[in-house]
């Protein structure tokens, strides 16, 4: 075989291999690139927040419980609250100690199911009864304190299913309390030990 | 330039590119392969469980609270308990409704930090004070009920840091209660709404 022809043939084969490998690398790189740029919330064309999905697989940060029976039968936020942060914003907080632009925190409400179990007396979780969220977005909420807006998908009587969309509350409805009492950037980190532990390592 | 030499040079450069790309592909493939086959626990040469790391980034399933002040000043498990499942076993549970061989559940203990906040009266989380785990492994714990063994890294007085290793409790110390009262496969799923919700979808 002519040596030029030999290299020419191999050159073509190698080009195909290189192309296949470049494609393969992009397939595997792509998710991590997406992770870095994406936010975990979407608004519809009416400007309503669409109920997030998959948040129970996000990073859990803490659970306060404000039971009805400790609040004259009707707690403002009944009763357990599972609080989650989206994974990209969690990583940012872990690295920098700050809530990034594009952070979404979820507060899922759970009823008290029982007050006594094999492990002792206390409060034990019952059913999911509501869903709330807060988002830090300086483009969408440039006039809100800290650029945080607050949303509730919960039905007024806490029956399921929760609503599919939610509109932002006026700042006074939520942010007044957050402004007065939240430890950090309008977030109640003082009650979220997972986030506090990250700060203590800095 | 001689055409043979041209292709020979390019052949070498291309070989290097191919090698680099093959390496890059392996770097990106490797973690997802590991995820599918691995368990999230390790034992040392003495047969002690090594304290798991990164569990706060696993899947959270529920939080009971058994406060000291509701248990004559000294709860058996003070006070909040964050319960997590490793991600591979979570996916298995989500798909099949069963705890797989190799499941590890974490129970991290948190003190009550306060009982009143802007959101009402209740129990609000303080500091991490202990760490416990349970593992389902039929090879290591063939004689334990359900093949579950129980471990505690907590110091007796709940001071930090928790211990680096833990040995399995005798079955009677933990499994008696789990056997009598746990809803499913010796696990208290009745108090873990995230797992219960997955079952309800089946």
């Amino acid at each position: 075989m002519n040596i030029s022809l030999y290299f020419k043939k191999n050159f073509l084969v190698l080009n195909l291999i290189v192309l296949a490998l470049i494609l393969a690398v992009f397939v595997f790189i792509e998710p991590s690139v997406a992770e870095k740029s994406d936010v975990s919330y979407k608004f519809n064309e009416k400007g309503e927040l669409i109920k997030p999905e998959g948040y129970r697989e996000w990073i859990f940060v803490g659970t306060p419980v404000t039971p009805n029976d400790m609040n004259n039968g009707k707690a403002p936020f009944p009763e357990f609250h599972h609080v989650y942060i989206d994974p990209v914003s969690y990583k940012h907080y872990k690295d920098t100690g700050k809530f990034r632009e594009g952070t979404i925190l979820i507060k899922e409400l759970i009823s008290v199911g029982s007050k006594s179990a094999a492990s002792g007396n206390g409060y034990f979780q019952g059913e999911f009864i509501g869903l709330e969220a807060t988002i830090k977005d300086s483009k969408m909420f440039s006039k809100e304190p800290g650029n945080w807006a607050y949303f509730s998908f919960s039905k007024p009587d806490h029956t399921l299913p929760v609503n599919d969309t939610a509109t932002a509350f006026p700042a006074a409805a939520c942010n007044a309390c957050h402004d007065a009492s939240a430890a950090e950037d309008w977030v109640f980190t003082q009650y979220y030990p997972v986030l506090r532990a990250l700060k203590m390592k800095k």
Side-chain angles (χ1 to χ4, degrees), chain A residues 6-16:
Chain A
Y6 173 80
F7 278 114
K8 214 176 249 173
K9 267 195 177 169
N10 277 284
F11 188 80
L12 278 170
V13 169
L14 274 170
N15 262 327
L16 285 172

Side-chain angles (χ1 to χ4, degrees), chain A residues 1-198:
Chain A
M1 189 190 274
N2 179 305
I3 190 147
S4 298
L5 192 63
Y6 173 80
F7 278 114
K8 214 176 249 173
K9 267 195 177 169
N10 277 284
F11 188 80
L12 278 170
V13 169
L14 274 170
N15 262 327
L16 285 172
I17 292 171
V18 168
L19 191 68
L21 286 167
I22 287 171
L23 284 172
V25 167
F26 269 90
V27 165
F28 286 102
I29 288 177
E30 197 264 337
S32 61
V33 171
E35 263 172 30
K36 271 176 198 143
S37 61
D38 275 10
V39 295
S40 296
Y41 52 84
K42 272 186 195 162
F43 288 82
N44 66 17
E45 68 286 354
K46 292 186 210 161
E48 299 163 330
L49 178 61
I50 297 167
K51 184 168 80 77
E53 297 292 336
Y55 53 84
R56 288 178 197 154
E57 297 171 15
W58 294 0
I59 307 297
F60 167 77
V61 301
T63 295
V65 55
T66 49
N68 285 328
D69 65 14
M70 288 177 73
N71 292 277
N72 302 316
K74 196 163 170 50
F77 301 97
E79 292 184 273
F80 282 95
H81 329 143
H82 287 175
V83 182
Y84 296 91
I85 185 170
D86 69 279
V88 181
S89 301
Y90 168 79
K91 190 178 176 313
H92 184 90
Y93 191 91
K94 191 175 174 182
D95 293 344
T96 68
K98 304 280 179 199
F99 292 107
R100 70 166 187 141
E101 165 80 10
T103 297
I104 175 167
L105 301 171
I106 291 284
K107 179 164 78 173
E108 186 155 40
L109 309 183
I110 304 108
S111 66
V112 170
S114 64
K115 292 185 64 179
S116 178
S119 57
N121 298 315
Y123 288 94
F124 297 88
Q125 302 190 318
E127 306 302 324
F128 291 115
I129 56 172
L131 185 68
E132 308 187 342
T134 178
I135 287 173
K136 184 183 180 74
D137 189 317
S138 65
K139 286 173 211 79
M140 297 192 70
F141 312 114
S142 60
K143 290 177 183 167
E144 300 294 330
N147 304 134
W148 291 101
Y150 301 84
F151 303 84
S152 177
F153 298 91
S154 307
K155 299 265 173 66
D157 58 354
H158 291 114
T159 50
L160 293 187
V162 299
N163 298 323
D164 291 330
T165 58
T167 51
F169 282 104
C174 302
N175 215 310
C177 257
H178 285 252
D179 191 42
S181 307
E184 179 194 343
D185 194 9
W186 289 267
V187 181
F188 285 95
T189 51
Q190 67 264 48
Y191 307 129
Y192 306 150
V194 173
L195 294 182
R196 282 196 295 114
L198 294 176

